[in-house]
Amino acid sequence: MNNVTLVRKEPSESLFREDGLRLDGRGLDELRPIRMEVGVLNNADGSAYVEHGKNKIVAAVYGPRELHPKHLALPDKALVRCEYRMATFSVEERKSPAPGRREVELSKVIRESLEPAIFVYKYPRATIDVFVQILQADGGTRCASITAAALALADAGVPMRDLVVGCAVGKIEGKVAVDLSDVEDKLGEGDIPMALMPTKKVITLLQSDGDFTPEEFKQALEMGIAACEKIYEMQRDILIERYSKVREEVAEEQEEE
Amino acid sequence: MVGLSEVTSAIEREHISSLLVHGKRIDDRGLFEFRNIEVEVSPIEKAEGSAQVVLGGTKVVAGVKVDVGPPFSDTPNKGVLTCNAELTPIASPFFESGPPDEQTVELARVVDRGIRESKAVDLEKLVLIPGEKVRVCFVDVYVLDYDGNLFDASEIAASVALMAAKVPEVEVNEDTGEITVLDKKQLLPISNIPVSATFAKIDGVLVLDPCLKEERVQDARITMTSTQEGNICAFQKGGIGTITLEDVDTVIEVVKEKAEPVRDLIRELTKEVRGEI
């Protein structure tokens, strides 16, 4: 936009309020509101919708299914493919519909964060496709995408060792804080997106940008793991809720018969 | 992009067409009955306008982004409107990612024509500095679940998203040509509400709003978009089958009756944002 002067409200001086809480009223170890839904689409084998703060994300899983083109097939295990895409209207300035380098990288790291949880050796020569569509982005999309994709994989009935949960930890004004919002991500000093297999307590995604001392980094990881565990509770609850409903429905149908 | 071809069994085809002979459909609808339409207005806060439409088992989300840019050189006194569609691989096992293919482009262009030719958006009112700066509206439709008739679901989503859109007011400095974006919001200038109706022709029988099973066995497809005056602002025949003059007559007659309830629904949905239209 040439010649256009943007007159918008200045971001406030500090990322903390006078009472010491973050701008949205959260403490340092507090997550944004999270809402999850499983089985939101008809066609996909498994699907999930996650709202994490203002992030709105749909994940769909197709597979295990036949792989095309066939020469990509792996003789001993399933090929896991992942595509992370942002809708043009998911961000302030319209994004071009064609995937950019960022989306390509995120597709790769999301795939690599999910695959360790999947029993890929059960499905030689097949593929498991994971598609993530960001409808609205609000900081921490890759982590919320992992949370959503793991739910979709579980919904598809893909055998897994564990769920996978994502959450970012960052540094704002010298303090380590979990689950950065969009503005904290942009104005903060650093960001560490991570993903966890929560019952195994192993990390499947770890990235970082910005500036952290080794002590801060370790503290961030500990806080991140605690945050992931909280999200995992929600993930587990929503799956139990969904499938106890399914079980009831099936039981009712059998009774009718 | 659409990949592998789908296979429909001969039995299913026969089942569908033998029902049609008796005026019945596989989902018990009348021949000229839309499936249930559910619309969520403005689910995406970051878009200037947005709408999610569920039409039977088809689900689409449309988002509107509005920018400032130069007009097309042949229309210096009009704003710019672009409709784009994405058949995401989320929506069907037969959609693949990649650059838009024929089916995607056709969908985007038919939706675009409905909006453009009905003058749904008054493009002349989008001019900031004639010949230099106009508002540029992008309407992007994402298909999330595909159960037939993407045309009508997308047209409704696009219309509602445009009507619900709130764009920042701007101040134009006539002398310097500088444009200042203000903190206040305004609605887009809307002067019509196009409604499309899509028909499948199966063994000579026309049905409105085909579901995926019907679409798979259709010989031809007809989409007709009407304005609120009842005129035809877009028409598209698709598929390798043929249509007759009688088919066109039927379509026109059905649209007369069936488009208005959809238009009323759109009016009702956007009343809160726009007031009565």
Side-chain angles (χ1 to χ4, degrees):
Chain A
M1 287 207 290
N2 301 331
N3 259 344
V4 176
T5 326
L6 289 172
V7 184
R8 292 225 171 97
K9 230 176 91 191
E10 286 295 309
S12 75
E13 298 276 304
S14 169
L15 289 168
F16 288 97
R17 309 193 307 200
E18 276 179 11
D19 59 6
L21 294 174
R22 290 150 79 175
L23 289 182
D24 50 14
R26 286 187 290 154
L28 290 172
D29 61 350
E30 229 174 303
L31 291 161
R32 289 173 286 179
I34 298 174
R35 192 169 78 83
M36 301 174 184
E37 237 180 291
V38 182
V40 292
L41 304 174
N42 303 319
N43 282 331
D45 297 318
S47 60
Y49 173 73
V50 169
E51 281 185 13
H52 186 139
K54 282 185 182 164
N55 287 307
K56 297 189 176 180
I57 299 167
V58 186
V61 168
Y62 283 92
R65 64 177 173 181
E66 205 180 322
L67 173 61
H68 294 278
K70 286 213 159 118
H71 70 266
L72 295 177
L74 304 172
D76 56 341
K77 61 173 183 173
L79 176 70
V80 179
R81 296 188 289 189
C82 175
E83 245 184 55
Y84 164 100
R85 290 285 183 272
M86 291 180 92
T88 52
F89 46 76
S90 63
V91 282
E92 288 300 336
E93 293 281 315
R94 179 177 184 268
K95 194 205 146 286
S96 144
R101 286 158 54 94
R102 178 178 171 279
E103 283 158 297
V104 173
E105 187 211 331
L106 293 200
S107 299
K108 178 173 186 288
V109 297
I110 291 171
R111 185 188 81 230
E112 290 168 345
S113 77
L114 296 169
E115 187 163 339
I118 303 172
F119 285 104
V120 282
Y121 289 97
K122 274 184 170 289
Y123 304 101
R125 307 198 60 79
T127 180
I128 298 169
D129 285 316
V130 180
F131 301 111
V132 176
Q133 183 72 53
I134 309 294
L135 296 175
Q136 181 159 274
D138 183 37
T141 56
R142 80 196 70 182
C143 296
S145 298
I146 290 167
T147 305
L151 282 174
L153 280 164
D155 185 41
V158 172
M160 292 161 84
R161 292 179 178 84
D162 201 346
L163 283 169
V164 189
V165 202
C167 188
V169 197
K171 189 162 95 174
I172 44 176
E173 288 168 25
K175 293 190 180 108
V176 178
V178 299
D179 190 18
L180 298 194
S181 68
D182 206 19
V183 55
E184 289 171 336
D185 188 14
K186 279 176 186 132
L187 302 176
E189 297 103 82
D191 183 30
I192 304 174
M194 60 187 288
L196 185 73
M197 280 164 57
T199 51
K200 302 238 171 224
K201 277 223 176 188
V202 287
I203 293 167
T204 65
L205 167 89
L206 189 58
Q207 298 180 290
S208 149
D209 60 35
D211 181 67
F212 292 89
T213 66
E215 290 70 31
E216 283 168 345
F217 202 85
K218 284 182 197 160
Q219 190 198 349
L221 287 184
E222 273 172 31
M223 287 172 74
I225 288 174
C228 284
E229 282 170 346
K230 283 187 212 161
I231 303 173
Y232 169 61
E233 299 280 317
M234 294 182 229
Q235 251 184 342
R236 211 185 47 186
D237 289 348
I238 200 78
L239 282 170
I240 291 172
E241 188 188 315
R242 157 96 174 151
Y243 282 96
S244 41
K245 256 188 220 152
V246 171
R247 188 185 292 166
E248 277 167 30
E249 281 166 18
V250 172
E252 270 170 36
E253 271 171 35
Q254 281 172 344
E255 257 172 49
E256 276 169 27
E257 278 170 22
Chain B
M1 215 170 104
V2 185
L4 319 168
S5 57
E6 262 166 294
V7 181
T8 303
S9 68
I11 291 179
E12 189 154 304
R13 197 194 153 89
E14 266 173 42
H15 176 56
I16 293 172
S17 64
S18 63
L19 280 173
L20 286 178
V21 172
H22 301 288
K24 287 184 183 162
R25 294 174 77 172
I26 39 168
D27 53 9
D28 289 331
R29 275 185 291 158
L31 294 184
F32 302 129
E33 200 180 317
F34 273 110
R35 287 170 292 177
N36 194 34
I37 306 173
E38 279 170 47
V39 185
E40 196 184 330
V41 185
S42 307
I44 310 294
E45 298 94 331
K46 287 204 178 174
E48 276 80 333
S50 60
Q52 174 173 289
V53 171
V54 179
L55 174 63
T58 286
K59 189 191 253 186
V60 305
V61 181
V64 173
K65 295 298 278 181
V66 182
D67 214 332
V68 174
F72 289 118
S73 53
D74 56 342
T75 52
N77 294 316
K78 280 186 176 179
V80 174
L81 175 76
T82 309
C83 282
N84 169 60
E86 298 280 332
L87 304 192
T88 69
I90 279 184
S92 161
F94 302 101
F95 291 171
E96 285 178 357
S97 50
D101 67 346
E102 280 180 7
Q103 189 188 348
T104 313
V105 171
E106 186 187 31
L107 171 65
R109 285 182 54 87
V110 171
V111 172
D112 185 285
R113 275 214 294 284
I115 290 168
R116 188 179 304 282
E117 302 304 323
S118 67
K119 306 199 169 52
V121 182
D122 193 342
L123 295 180
E124 276 152 31
K125 289 194 183 148
L126 296 181
V127 177
L128 303 172
I129 305 167
E132 282 180 40
K133 289 271 179 286
V134 299
R135 288 197 198 261
V136 181
C137 303
F138 294 98
V139 184
D140 292 289
V141 180
Y142 284 77
V143 179
L144 298 181
D145 223 345
Y146 173 42
D147 186 23
N149 195 5
L150 296 177
F151 289 91
D152 299 348
S154 303
E155 185 78 56
I156 297 170
S159 291
V160 174
L162 280 166
M163 290 173 70
K166 286 182 178 162
V167 301
E169 283 185 26
V170 294
E171 212 170 63
V172 182
N173 186 324
E174 305 270 342
D175 303 324
T176 61
E178 220 169 74
I179 291 167
T180 311
V181 181
L182 306 176
D183 226 359
K184 269 166 52 187
K185 296 278 173 87
Q186 66 184 83
L187 295 164
L188 286 174
I190 299 290
S191 47
N192 212 317
I193 307 171
V195 168
S196 70
T198 296
F199 298 77
K201 188 174 176 185
I202 304 164
D203 282 345
V205 182
L206 286 172
V207 294
L208 177 65
D209 181 26
C211 64
L212 183 58
K213 282 184 174 170
E214 292 170 328
E215 224 170 70
R216 278 202 215 142
V217 301
Q218 74 192 4
D219 306 305
R221 191 198 69 233
I222 298 172
T223 300
M224 183 176 126
T225 310
S226 62
T227 64
Q228 58 195 17
E229 293 78 26
N231 290 338
I232 301 162
C233 61
F235 200 101
Q236 183 91 344
K237 180 256 171 185
I240 51 172
T242 58
I243 58 171
T244 62
L245 286 179
E246 289 72 36
D247 292 336
V248 177
D249 286 342
T250 309
V251 165
I252 290 175
E253 285 310 309
V254 173
V255 166
K256 263 184 202 161
E257 190 193 335
K258 300 292 177 180
E260 212 43 42
V262 179
R263 213 176 327 267
D264 284 340
L265 173 71
I266 295 175
R267 285 196 188 99
E268 187 62 38
L269 288 163
T270 52
K271 202 160 87 181
E272 209 177 305
V273 204
R274 299 197 72 91
E276 302 276 352
I277 298 184

